[in-house]
Amino acid sequence: MFEETLYQGKAKTLYGTSDPDELVVVFRDDITAFNGEKHDILKDKGRFNAAASAFFMELLASHTIATHFIRMDDTITMRVRHLAMIPLEVIIRNRAAGSMVKRYPVAEGTVLDPPIITIDYKDDARGDPMMNDEIICGLGILTPAELEEIKEKTRRINTILCDFFAGYGIALIDFKLEFGRYKGEILLGDEISMDSMRLWDEKTRESLDKDVYRENKGDVIKTYHTLLSRILPEIDEEFD
Ligand code: ATP
Ligand code: TYD
């Protein structure tokens, strides 16, 4: 049962439940870019991202990666463990794109081997500044051991997801993860969806993710539909 609204983010709303250890996350149809400057409401966007996120959380659990995911209560409502979120956006990059290309001397699409992890502080008012290990540990956000654990988990998740997408001729360019503390453990939280990943068709380099929206490259809902029909046809059939 839903209790009070705990937090309304840019794309999801969190509600408390009668169990203090559990939350429900409702994936809304809002889509935003550039720190909320660009905003639209697109039918089915929440359902697409919820379905993808549930699938990937279960895939990771099958590889012994602990996540916040408990179950889907309906197509947009995910029941999760209530984490004390660590305010970091942990990004792992297999090829250069987005802010990597804007900030550093590297051409878009350059393979980064080994993959590069970059970490931003999650704070819209400060423009999500990039962190480094010394700032993260020096400010007490993580201990050095926790930082290493998060980086190691991120690399393992990257390997699992790269292998998954490679089977469908799709390159995982980069993605963002968020972690939180729960009963003495660090668990993966938030979402893994087309909003938080960059995916390119291996052959054509066509974007299959939110860049279609960020860069006005076409109909992002059609793109999400196409991606799901390719990787999760059984889930995509549930959408009209
Ligand atoms: P951004 O879009 O920059 O990620 P936001 O806060 O607007 O920021 P939303 O996805 O709309 O993003 O909001 C979801 C919020 O819920 C995030 O602040 C995220 O850190 C938090 N969150 C995700 N999973 C959990 C969880 N299991 N327990 C507690 N909080 C969570
Ligand atoms: P990045 O290139 O740092 O930023 P931008 O998307 O602004 O160019 O993004 C790297 C990846 O992380 C990309 O797949 C999008 C994802 N991401 C999020 O999901 N949320 C965020 O707040 C940020 C900064 C990135």
Side-chain angles (χ1 to χ4, degrees), residues 160-224:
I160 295 164
L161 296 183
C162 281
D163 288 350
F164 174 82
F165 283 111
Y168 298 91
I170 295 168
L172 177 57
I173 306 304
D174 57 30
F175 61 96
K176 183 263 309 178
L177 299 174
E178 292 182 31
F179 294 88
R181 296 188 175 84
Y182 182 81
K183 299 182 194 272
E185 262 190 282
I186 292 185
L187 304 188
L188 177 68
D190 206 48
E191 68 180 282
I192 302 182
S193 74
M194 295 74 84
D195 276 17
S196 61
M197 294 187 268
R198 276 199 179 89
L199 300 165
W200 291 357
D201 181 279
E202 274 289 5
K203 286 208 184 90
T204 64
R205 274 197 173 208
E206 177 196 0
S207 286
L208 302 169
D209 58 72
K210 196 164 101 172
D211 271 352
V212 172
Y213 176 76
R214 284 190 195 94
E215 297 170 14
N216 300 312
K217 291 199 277 198
D219 179 344
V220 71
I221 291 298
K222 214 168 141 198
T223 299
Y224 285 12

Short mmCIF file of all heavy atoms in Angstrom, two decimals, residues 160-224:
data_model
loop_
_atom_site.label_atom_id
_atom_site.label_comp_id
_atom_site.label_asym_id
_atom_site.label_seq_id
_atom_site.Cartn_x
_atom_site.Cartn_y
_atom_site.Cartn_z
N ILE A 160 28.67 -7.78 -17.86
CA ILE A 160 27.41 -8.53 -18.04
C ILE A 160 26.56 -7.83 -19.11
O ILE A 160 26.03 -8.46 -20.03
CB ILE A 160 26.64 -8.62 -16.70
CG1 ILE A 160 27.44 -9.45 -15.69
CG2 ILE A 160 25.25 -9.21 -16.91
CD1 ILE A 160 26.98 -9.28 -14.23
N LEU A 161 26.43 -6.51 -19.00
CA LEU A 161 25.55 -5.79 -19.95
C LEU A 161 26.17 -5.75 -21.35
O LEU A 161 25.45 -5.89 -22.35
CB LEU A 161 25.26 -4.38 -19.43
CG LEU A 161 24.47 -4.29 -18.12
CD1 LEU A 161 24.19 -2.83 -17.78
CD2 LEU A 161 23.17 -5.07 -18.17
N CYS A 162 27.49 -5.56 -21.44
CA CYS A 162 28.14 -5.56 -22.77
C CYS A 162 27.90 -6.89 -23.46
O CYS A 162 27.55 -6.93 -24.65
CB CYS A 162 29.65 -5.33 -22.66
SG CYS A 162 30.09 -3.63 -22.41
N ASP A 163 28.07 -7.99 -22.72
CA ASP A 163 27.86 -9.33 -23.31
C ASP A 163 26.41 -9.47 -23.76
O ASP A 163 26.14 -10.00 -24.84
CB ASP A 163 28.19 -10.44 -22.30
CG ASP A 163 29.69 -10.55 -22.08
OD1 ASP A 163 30.45 -9.90 -22.83
OD2 ASP A 163 30.09 -11.27 -21.14
N PHE A 164 25.50 -9.01 -22.93
CA PHE A 164 24.07 -9.12 -23.28
C PHE A 164 23.79 -8.36 -24.59
O PHE A 164 23.24 -8.93 -25.54
CB PHE A 164 23.19 -8.55 -22.15
CG PHE A 164 21.74 -8.49 -22.52
CD1 PHE A 164 20.94 -9.61 -22.44
CD2 PHE A 164 21.19 -7.31 -23.01
CE1 PHE A 164 19.60 -9.57 -22.83
CE2 PHE A 164 19.86 -7.25 -23.39
CZ PHE A 164 19.06 -8.39 -23.30
N PHE A 165 24.20 -7.11 -24.67
CA PHE A 165 23.87 -6.31 -25.86
C PHE A 165 24.62 -6.80 -27.09
O PHE A 165 24.08 -6.74 -28.21
CB PHE A 165 24.16 -4.83 -25.61
CG PHE A 165 23.11 -4.16 -24.76
CD1 PHE A 165 23.38 -3.73 -23.47
CD2 PHE A 165 21.82 -3.97 -25.25
CE1 PHE A 165 22.40 -3.13 -22.69
CE2 PHE A 165 20.83 -3.37 -24.48
CZ PHE A 165 21.13 -2.95 -23.20
N ALA A 166 25.83 -7.30 -26.90
CA ALA A 166 26.60 -7.77 -28.06
C ALA A 166 25.84 -8.87 -28.79
O ALA A 166 25.90 -8.97 -30.03
CB ALA A 166 27.97 -8.28 -27.61
N GLY A 167 25.09 -9.68 -28.05
CA GLY A 167 24.29 -10.75 -28.66
C GLY A 167 23.21 -10.23 -29.59
O GLY A 167 22.64 -11.00 -30.37
N TYR A 168 22.93 -8.94 -29.53
CA TYR A 168 21.88 -8.34 -30.39
C TYR A 168 22.47 -7.31 -31.35
O TYR A 168 21.75 -6.49 -31.91
CB TYR A 168 20.80 -7.68 -29.51
CG TYR A 168 20.11 -8.68 -28.63
CD1 TYR A 168 20.58 -8.94 -27.35
CD2 TYR A 168 19.02 -9.42 -29.10
CE1 TYR A 168 19.98 -9.90 -26.54
CE2 TYR A 168 18.41 -10.37 -28.31
CZ TYR A 168 18.89 -10.60 -27.03
OH TYR A 168 18.30 -11.55 -26.25
N GLY A 169 23.80 -7.33 -31.51
CA GLY A 169 24.42 -6.40 -32.45
C GLY A 169 24.37 -4.96 -31.96
O GLY A 169 24.36 -4.01 -32.76
N ILE A 170 24.35 -4.79 -30.63
CA ILE A 170 24.25 -3.44 -30.05
C ILE A 170 25.49 -3.18 -29.18
O ILE A 170 25.88 -4.03 -28.39
CB ILE A 170 22.96 -3.31 -29.21
CG1 ILE A 170 21.73 -3.44 -30.13
CG2 ILE A 170 22.93 -2.00 -28.42
CD1 ILE A 170 20.42 -3.60 -29.41
N ALA A 171 26.07 -1.99 -29.34
CA ALA A 171 27.23 -1.62 -28.53
C ALA A 171 26.76 -0.78 -27.34
O ALA A 171 26.02 0.20 -27.52
CB ALA A 171 28.22 -0.81 -29.37
N LEU A 172 27.20 -1.17 -26.16
CA LEU A 172 26.92 -0.39 -24.96
C LEU A 172 28.03 0.65 -24.84
O LEU A 172 29.18 0.32 -24.54
CB LEU A 172 26.89 -1.32 -23.74
CG LEU A 172 26.69 -0.67 -22.37
CD1 LEU A 172 25.40 0.15 -22.31
CD2 LEU A 172 26.68 -1.74 -21.28
N ILE A 173 27.71 1.88 -25.11
CA ILE A 173 28.72 2.96 -25.16
C ILE A 173 29.08 3.43 -23.75
O ILE A 173 30.25 3.50 -23.39
CB ILE A 173 28.18 4.16 -25.98
CG1 ILE A 173 27.72 3.70 -27.37
CG2 ILE A 173 29.20 5.30 -26.06
CD1 ILE A 173 28.79 2.98 -28.17
N ASP A 174 28.05 3.73 -22.95
CA ASP A 174 28.29 4.13 -21.55
C ASP A 174 26.98 4.01 -20.80
O ASP A 174 25.91 3.85 -21.40
CB ASP A 174 28.85 5.57 -21.47
CG ASP A 174 27.97 6.61 -22.13
OD1 ASP A 174 26.74 6.44 -22.16
OD2 ASP A 174 28.51 7.63 -22.61
N PHE A 175 27.05 4.03 -19.48
CA PHE A 175 25.82 4.06 -18.67
C PHE A 175 26.13 4.56 -17.28
O PHE A 175 27.28 4.59 -16.85
CB PHE A 175 25.11 2.70 -18.63
CG PHE A 175 25.90 1.57 -18.04
CD1 PHE A 175 25.75 1.21 -16.71
CD2 PHE A 175 26.80 0.87 -18.81
CE1 PHE A 175 26.49 0.16 -16.15
CE2 PHE A 175 27.55 -0.18 -18.27
CZ PHE A 175 27.39 -0.53 -16.94
N LYS A 176 25.05 4.94 -16.59
CA LYS A 176 25.17 5.54 -15.25
C LYS A 176 24.50 4.64 -14.21
O LYS A 176 23.41 4.11 -14.44
CB LYS A 176 24.47 6.90 -15.29
CG LYS A 176 24.53 7.71 -14.03
CD LYS A 176 23.35 7.63 -13.11
CE LYS A 176 21.99 7.85 -13.68
NZ LYS A 176 20.90 7.71 -12.70
N LEU A 177 25.17 4.48 -13.09
CA LEU A 177 24.61 3.69 -11.99
C LEU A 177 24.55 4.54 -10.72
O LEU A 177 25.34 5.49 -10.57
CB LEU A 177 25.49 2.46 -11.70
CG LEU A 177 25.67 1.45 -12.83
CD1 LEU A 177 26.68 0.38 -12.41
CD2 LEU A 177 24.34 0.80 -13.22
N GLU A 178 23.62 4.19 -9.84
CA GLU A 178 23.58 4.79 -8.50
C GLU A 178 23.53 3.67 -7.47
O GLU A 178 22.82 2.68 -7.68
CB GLU A 178 22.35 5.69 -8.36
CG GLU A 178 22.42 6.93 -9.23
CD GLU A 178 21.21 7.84 -9.04
OE1 GLU A 178 20.64 7.90 -7.93
OE2 GLU A 178 20.84 8.50 -10.03
N PHE A 179 24.25 3.86 -6.39
CA PHE A 179 24.30 2.85 -5.34
C PHE A 179 23.79 3.44 -4.03
O PHE A 179 23.77 4.67 -3.86
CB PHE A 179 25.74 2.36 -5.13
CG PHE A 179 26.30 1.61 -6.32
CD1 PHE A 179 26.94 2.29 -7.35
CD2 PHE A 179 26.18 0.23 -6.39
CE1 PHE A 179 27.46 1.60 -8.45
CE2 PHE A 179 26.70 -0.47 -7.49
CZ PHE A 179 27.33 0.21 -8.52
N GLY A 180 23.41 2.54 -3.11
CA GLY A 180 22.98 3.01 -1.79
C GLY A 180 23.29 1.97 -0.73
O GLY A 180 23.60 0.82 -1.04
N ARG A 181 23.21 2.41 0.53
CA ARG A 181 23.51 1.49 1.65
C ARG A 181 22.21 0.88 2.16
O ARG A 181 21.18 1.57 2.25
CB ARG A 181 24.20 2.26 2.78
CG ARG A 181 25.56 2.82 2.38
CD ARG A 181 26.29 3.40 3.61
NE ARG A 181 27.64 3.84 3.25
CZ ARG A 181 27.92 5.02 2.71
NH1 ARG A 181 26.95 5.90 2.49
NH2 ARG A 181 29.16 5.33 2.41
N TYR A 182 22.29 -0.39 2.51
CA TYR A 182 21.12 -1.11 3.02
C TYR A 182 21.61 -2.20 3.98
O TYR A 182 22.31 -3.11 3.55
CB TYR A 182 20.36 -1.75 1.86
CG TYR A 182 19.09 -2.48 2.24
CD1 TYR A 182 17.90 -1.79 2.46
CD2 TYR A 182 19.08 -3.87 2.38
CE1 TYR A 182 16.74 -2.46 2.80
CE2 TYR A 182 17.92 -4.55 2.71
CZ TYR A 182 16.76 -3.83 2.93
OH TYR A 182 15.59 -4.50 3.26
N LYS A 183 21.29 -2.03 5.24
CA LYS A 183 21.65 -3.04 6.26
C LYS A 183 23.10 -3.49 6.15
O LYS A 183 23.40 -4.68 6.05
CB LYS A 183 20.71 -4.24 6.15
CG LYS A 183 19.24 -3.92 6.39
CD LYS A 183 18.37 -5.15 6.33
CE LYS A 183 16.91 -4.83 6.21
NZ LYS A 183 16.17 -4.63 7.43
N GLY A 184 24.01 -2.52 6.06
CA GLY A 184 25.44 -2.83 6.06
C GLY A 184 26.02 -3.24 4.72
O GLY A 184 27.21 -3.54 4.62
N GLU A 185 25.17 -3.27 3.70
CA GLU A 185 25.66 -3.66 2.36
C GLU A 185 25.52 -2.49 1.40
O GLU A 185 24.67 -1.60 1.62
CB GLU A 185 24.73 -4.74 1.80
CG GLU A 185 25.21 -6.16 1.95
CD GLU A 185 24.30 -7.07 1.13
OE1 GLU A 185 23.19 -7.37 1.60
OE2 GLU A 185 24.70 -7.44 0.01
N ILE A 186 26.28 -2.52 0.30
CA ILE A 186 26.06 -1.52 -0.76
C ILE A 186 25.32 -2.23 -1.89
O ILE A 186 25.80 -3.24 -2.43
CB ILE A 186 27.40 -0.93 -1.24
CG1 ILE A 186 28.00 -0.08 -0.10
CG2 ILE A 186 27.20 -0.10 -2.51
CD1 ILE A 186 29.25 0.66 -0.45
N LEU A 187 24.14 -1.73 -2.21
CA LEU A 187 23.32 -2.34 -3.27
C LEU A 187 23.20 -1.36 -4.44
O LEU A 187 23.24 -0.15 -4.27
CB LEU A 187 21.90 -2.65 -2.79
CG LEU A 187 21.71 -3.53 -1.56
CD1 LEU A 187 20.23 -3.86 -1.39
CD2 LEU A 187 22.51 -4.82 -1.66
N LEU A 188 22.99 -1.92 -5.62
CA LEU A 188 22.68 -1.10 -6.79
C LEU A 188 21.24 -0.61 -6.66
O LEU A 188 20.34 -1.40 -6.37
CB LEU A 188 22.84 -1.94 -8.06
CG LEU A 188 22.47 -1.22 -9.36
CD1 LEU A 188 23.46 -0.09 -9.65
CD2 LEU A 188 22.40 -2.19 -10.53
N GLY A 189 21.03 0.70 -6.90
CA GLY A 189 19.67 1.25 -6.83
C GLY A 189 19.27 1.90 -8.14
O GLY A 189 19.81 1.59 -9.21
N ASP A 190 18.29 2.77 -8.05
CA ASP A 190 17.78 3.57 -9.16
C ASP A 190 17.34 2.73 -10.36
O ASP A 190 16.50 1.85 -10.19
CB ASP A 190 18.80 4.65 -9.55
CG ASP A 190 18.11 5.84 -10.20
OD1 ASP A 190 17.11 6.30 -9.64
OD2 ASP A 190 18.54 6.29 -11.26
N GLU A 191 17.87 2.98 -11.56
CA GLU A 191 17.36 2.29 -12.74
C GLU A 191 18.49 1.97 -13.70
O GLU A 191 19.57 2.59 -13.65
CB GLU A 191 16.31 3.14 -13.45
CG GLU A 191 16.85 4.40 -14.11
CD GLU A 191 15.74 5.21 -14.81
OE1 GLU A 191 15.32 4.84 -15.91
OE2 GLU A 191 15.32 6.23 -14.22
N ILE A 192 18.23 1.00 -14.56
CA ILE A 192 19.10 0.76 -15.72
C ILE A 192 18.15 0.72 -16.90
O ILE A 192 17.36 -0.22 -17.04
CB ILE A 192 19.84 -0.60 -15.62
CG1 ILE A 192 20.67 -0.67 -14.34
CG2 ILE A 192 20.71 -0.81 -16.86
CD1 ILE A 192 21.46 -1.96 -14.20
N SER A 193 18.17 1.76 -17.68
CA SER A 193 17.17 1.85 -18.75
C SER A 193 17.75 2.64 -19.92
O SER A 193 18.90 3.08 -19.86
CB SER A 193 15.93 2.59 -18.23
OG SER A 193 16.24 3.96 -18.12
N MET A 194 16.93 2.83 -20.93
CA MET A 194 17.38 3.58 -22.11
C MET A 194 17.63 5.05 -21.77
O MET A 194 18.27 5.78 -22.53
CB MET A 194 16.35 3.49 -23.25
CG MET A 194 16.16 2.10 -23.79
SD MET A 194 15.22 1.02 -22.68
CE MET A 194 13.53 1.42 -23.06
N ASP A 195 17.11 5.50 -20.60
CA ASP A 195 17.39 6.87 -20.16
C ASP A 195 18.79 6.99 -19.56
O ASP A 195 19.35 8.09 -19.49
CB ASP A 195 16.40 7.30 -19.06
CG ASP A 195 15.09 7.81 -19.63
OD1 ASP A 195 14.82 7.56 -20.82
OD2 ASP A 195 14.34 8.45 -18.87
N SER A 196 19.34 5.88 -19.08
CA SER A 196 20.61 5.97 -18.35
C SER A 196 21.77 5.29 -19.08
O SER A 196 22.85 5.18 -18.52
CB SER A 196 20.45 5.36 -16.95
OG SER A 196 20.10 4.01 -17.04
N MET A 197 21.50 4.85 -20.32
CA MET A 197 22.56 4.19 -21.11
C MET A 197 22.69 4.87 -22.46
O MET A 197 21.72 5.45 -22.95
CB MET A 197 22.16 2.74 -21.42
CG MET A 197 22.05 1.84 -20.24
SD MET A 197 21.79 0.13 -20.76
CE MET A 197 20.03 0.06 -20.77
N ARG A 198 23.86 4.71 -23.08
CA ARG A 198 23.99 5.01 -24.51
C ARG A 198 24.18 3.70 -25.23
O ARG A 198 25.07 2.91 -24.86
CB ARG A 198 25.19 5.90 -24.81
CG ARG A 198 24.92 7.36 -24.61
CD ARG A 198 25.93 8.26 -25.33
NE ARG A 198 25.54 9.63 -25.08
CZ ARG A 198 25.95 10.34 -24.03
NH1 ARG A 198 26.80 9.83 -23.15
NH2 ARG A 198 25.54 11.58 -23.87
N LEU A 199 23.36 3.47 -26.25
CA LEU A 199 23.40 2.23 -27.01
C LEU A 199 23.45 2.59 -28.49
O LEU A 199 22.65 3.42 -28.94
CB LEU A 199 22.12 1.42 -26.74
CG LEU A 199 21.88 1.01 -25.28
CD1 LEU A 199 20.44 0.56 -25.08
CD2 LEU A 199 22.85 -0.10 -24.89
N TRP A 200 24.37 1.98 -29.21
CA TRP A 200 24.44 2.22 -30.65
C TRP A 200 24.28 0.91 -31.39
O TRP A 200 24.86 -0.11 -30.98
CB TRP A 200 25.82 2.79 -31.05
CG TRP A 200 26.13 4.16 -30.59
CD1 TRP A 200 25.32 5.02 -29.89
CD2 TRP A 200 27.39 4.85 -30.77
NE1 TRP A 200 25.99 6.20 -29.63
CE2 TRP A 200 27.26 6.12 -30.16
CE3 TRP A 200 28.59 4.52 -31.39
CZ2 TRP A 200 28.29 7.07 -30.16
CZ3 TRP A 200 29.62 5.45 -31.38
CH2 TRP A 200 29.47 6.71 -30.78
N ASP A 201 23.58 0.96 -32.51
CA ASP A 201 23.58 -0.20 -33.39
C ASP A 201 25.02 -0.39 -33.87
O ASP A 201 25.64 0.56 -34.34
CB ASP A 201 22.63 0.05 -34.57
CG ASP A 201 22.59 -1.15 -35.49
OD1 ASP A 201 23.51 -1.29 -36.33
OD2 ASP A 201 21.65 -1.95 -35.36
N GLU A 202 25.54 -1.62 -33.74
CA GLU A 202 26.95 -1.89 -34.09
C GLU A 202 27.27 -1.51 -35.53
O GLU A 202 28.34 -0.98 -35.81
CB GLU A 202 27.27 -3.38 -33.93
CG GLU A 202 27.68 -3.81 -32.55
CD GLU A 202 29.06 -3.31 -32.13
OE1 GLU A 202 29.71 -2.55 -32.87
OE2 GLU A 202 29.45 -3.68 -31.01
N LYS A 203 26.30 -1.81 -36.44
CA LYS A 203 26.61 -1.59 -37.85
C LYS A 203 26.38 -0.14 -38.27
O LYS A 203 27.22 0.46 -38.93
CB LYS A 203 25.70 -2.48 -38.70
CG LYS A 203 26.09 -3.94 -38.67
CD LYS A 203 25.66 -4.65 -39.96
CE LYS A 203 25.97 -6.13 -39.90
NZ LYS A 203 24.84 -6.91 -39.34
N THR A 204 25.24 0.42 -37.87
CA THR A 204 24.85 1.73 -38.42
C THR A 204 25.23 2.89 -37.49
O THR A 204 25.15 4.04 -37.90
CB THR A 204 23.33 1.79 -38.62
OG1 THR A 204 22.71 1.68 -37.32
CG2 THR A 204 22.82 0.66 -39.51
N ARG A 205 25.58 2.58 -36.22
CA ARG A 205 25.87 3.61 -35.20
C ARG A 205 24.64 4.42 -34.81
O ARG A 205 24.74 5.44 -34.12
CB ARG A 205 26.95 4.58 -35.67
CG ARG A 205 28.36 4.12 -35.40
CD ARG A 205 29.26 5.34 -35.53
NE ARG A 205 30.62 5.06 -35.15
CZ ARG A 205 31.43 5.99 -34.66
NH1 ARG A 205 31.03 7.23 -34.51
NH2 ARG A 205 32.66 5.70 -34.33
N GLU A 206 23.47 3.95 -35.26
CA GLU A 206 22.21 4.64 -34.91
C GLU A 206 22.05 4.60 -33.38
O GLU A 206 22.28 3.56 -32.76
CB GLU A 206 21.07 3.89 -35.60
CG GLU A 206 19.69 4.40 -35.32
CD GLU A 206 18.63 3.38 -35.72
OE1 GLU A 206 18.98 2.29 -36.23
OE2 GLU A 206 17.45 3.67 -35.51
N SER A 207 21.63 5.72 -32.79
CA SER A 207 21.38 5.77 -31.34
C SER A 207 20.08 5.05 -31.02
O SER A 207 19.06 5.27 -31.69
CB SER A 207 21.22 7.21 -30.86
OG SER A 207 22.46 7.85 -30.82
N LEU A 208 20.13 4.23 -29.94
CA LEU A 208 18.94 3.48 -29.52
C LEU A 208 18.58 3.85 -28.08
O LEU A 208 18.16 3.01 -27.30
CB LEU A 208 19.22 1.98 -29.63
CG LEU A 208 19.63 1.49 -31.03
CD1 LEU A 208 20.15 0.06 -30.99
CD2 LEU A 208 18.43 1.58 -31.98
N ASP A 209 18.76 5.12 -27.73
CA ASP A 209 18.63 5.55 -26.32
C ASP A 209 18.18 7.01 -26.26
O ASP A 209 17.79 7.59 -27.27
CB ASP A 209 20.00 5.39 -25.63
CG ASP A 209 21.04 6.22 -26.38
OD1 ASP A 209 20.98 7.45 -26.27
OD2 ASP A 209 21.87 5.66 -27.11
N LYS A 210 18.31 7.60 -25.08
CA LYS A 210 17.80 8.95 -24.86
C LYS A 210 18.51 10.03 -25.68
O LYS A 210 18.01 11.15 -25.78
CB LYS A 210 17.85 9.28 -23.36
CG LYS A 210 17.00 10.47 -22.99
CD LYS A 210 16.74 10.56 -21.50
CE LYS A 210 17.61 11.55 -20.81
NZ LYS A 210 17.25 11.78 -19.41
N ASP A 211 19.65 9.73 -26.28
CA ASP A 211 20.29 10.72 -27.16
C ASP A 211 19.35 11.13 -28.29
O ASP A 211 19.45 12.26 -28.80
CB ASP A 211 21.60 10.17 -27.75
CG ASP A 211 22.80 10.46 -26.85
OD1 ASP A 211 22.63 11.21 -25.86
OD2 ASP A 211 23.89 9.94 -27.13
N VAL A 212 18.44 10.24 -28.68
CA VAL A 212 17.46 10.58 -29.73
C VAL A 212 16.64 11.79 -29.27
O VAL A 212 16.32 12.67 -30.07
CB VAL A 212 16.56 9.35 -30.05
CG1 VAL A 212 15.42 9.73 -30.98
CG2 VAL A 212 17.41 8.22 -30.63
N TYR A 213 16.33 11.83 -27.98
CA TYR A 213 15.58 12.95 -27.40
C TYR A 213 16.51 14.15 -27.15
O TYR A 213 16.20 15.27 -27.56
CB TYR A 213 14.92 12.50 -26.10
CG TYR A 213 14.21 13.59 -25.36
CD1 TYR A 213 12.97 14.06 -25.79
CD2 TYR A 213 14.78 14.17 -24.22
CE1 TYR A 213 12.32 15.08 -25.10
CE2 TYR A 213 14.14 15.18 -23.53
CZ TYR A 213 12.91 15.63 -23.98
OH TYR A 213 12.27 16.64 -23.30
N ARG A 214 17.67 13.88 -26.52
CA ARG A 214 18.60 14.98 -26.20
C ARG A 214 18.95 15.76 -27.45
O ARG A 214 19.01 16.98 -27.46
CB ARG A 214 19.91 14.42 -25.64
CG ARG A 214 19.87 13.94 -24.22
CD ARG A 214 21.29 13.65 -23.71
NE ARG A 214 21.26 12.85 -22.49
CZ ARG A 214 21.36 11.51 -22.47
NH1 ARG A 214 21.53 10.83 -23.58
NH2 ARG A 214 21.30 10.87 -21.32
N GLU A 215 19.21 15.03 -28.53
CA GLU A 215 19.75 15.66 -29.74
C GLU A 215 18.70 15.83 -30.84
O GLU A 215 19.06 16.04 -31.99
CB GLU A 215 20.93 14.82 -30.26
CG GLU A 215 22.07 14.78 -29.27
CD GLU A 215 23.15 13.77 -29.64
OE1 GLU A 215 23.16 13.30 -30.79
OE2 GLU A 215 23.96 13.45 -28.76
N ASN A 216 17.43 15.70 -30.48
CA ASN A 216 16.32 15.84 -31.46
C ASN A 216 16.56 15.02 -32.72
O ASN A 216 16.44 15.53 -33.83
CB ASN A 216 16.15 17.32 -31.86
CG ASN A 216 15.83 18.19 -30.66
OD1 ASN A 216 14.96 17.85 -29.86
ND2 ASN A 216 16.56 19.28 -30.51
N LYS A 217 16.91 13.73 -32.52
CA LYS A 217 17.23 12.91 -33.69
C LYS A 217 16.04 12.11 -34.19
O LYS A 217 16.20 11.28 -35.07
CB LYS A 217 18.38 11.95 -33.34
CG LYS A 217 19.71 12.67 -33.13
CD LYS A 217 20.91 11.73 -33.24
CE LYS A 217 21.19 10.99 -31.97
NZ LYS A 217 22.54 10.41 -31.91
N GLY A 218 14.84 12.31 -33.61
CA GLY A 218 13.67 11.56 -34.09
C GLY A 218 12.71 11.29 -32.95
O GLY A 218 12.71 12.00 -31.95
N ASP A 219 11.88 10.27 -33.14
CA ASP A 219 10.82 9.93 -32.19
C ASP A 219 11.40 8.95 -31.15
O ASP A 219 11.61 7.77 -31.45
CB ASP A 219 9.66 9.29 -32.97
CG ASP A 219 8.51 8.88 -32.07
OD1 ASP A 219 8.71 8.81 -30.84
OD2 ASP A 219 7.43 8.60 -32.61
N VAL A 220 11.64 9.45 -29.94
CA VAL A 220 12.34 8.63 -28.94
C VAL A 220 11.48 7.44 -28.50
O VAL A 220 12.01 6.37 -28.19
CB VAL A 220 12.82 9.50 -27.75
CG1 VAL A 220 11.67 9.97 -26.89
CG2 VAL A 220 13.84 8.75 -26.92
N ILE A 221 10.17 7.61 -28.51
CA ILE A 221 9.31 6.48 -28.10
C ILE A 221 9.38 5.35 -29.13
O ILE A 221 9.46 4.17 -28.78
CB ILE A 221 7.84 6.97 -27.90
CG1 ILE A 221 7.79 7.89 -26.67
CG2 ILE A 221 6.86 5.81 -27.75
CD1 ILE A 221 8.19 7.22 -25.34
N LYS A 222 9.44 5.75 -30.40
CA LYS A 222 9.61 4.74 -31.46
C LYS A 222 10.96 4.02 -31.28
O LYS A 222 11.06 2.81 -31.42
CB LYS A 222 9.57 5.46 -32.83
CG LYS A 222 8.93 4.63 -33.91
CD LYS A 222 8.66 5.49 -35.12
CE LYS A 222 8.96 4.68 -36.38
NZ LYS A 222 9.12 5.52 -37.56
N THR A 223 11.97 4.79 -30.93
CA THR A 223 13.30 4.20 -30.70
C THR A 223 13.26 3.19 -29.54
O THR A 223 13.81 2.10 -29.65
CB THR A 223 14.32 5.31 -30.36
OG1 THR A 223 14.37 6.20 -31.47
CG2 THR A 223 15.70 4.76 -30.08
N TYR A 224 12.60 3.57 -28.43
CA TYR A 224 12.54 2.66 -27.27
C TYR A 224 11.78 1.39 -27.64
O TYR A 224 12.14 0.28 -27.23
CB TYR A 224 11.88 3.36 -26.07
CG TYR A 224 12.77 4.39 -25.37
CD1 TYR A 224 13.96 4.84 -25.94
CD2 TYR A 224 12.44 4.91 -24.13
CE1 TYR A 224 14.77 5.78 -25.30
CE2 TYR A 224 13.25 5.84 -23.47
CZ TYR A 224 14.41 6.27 -24.07
OH TYR A 224 15.21 7.20 -23.42
#
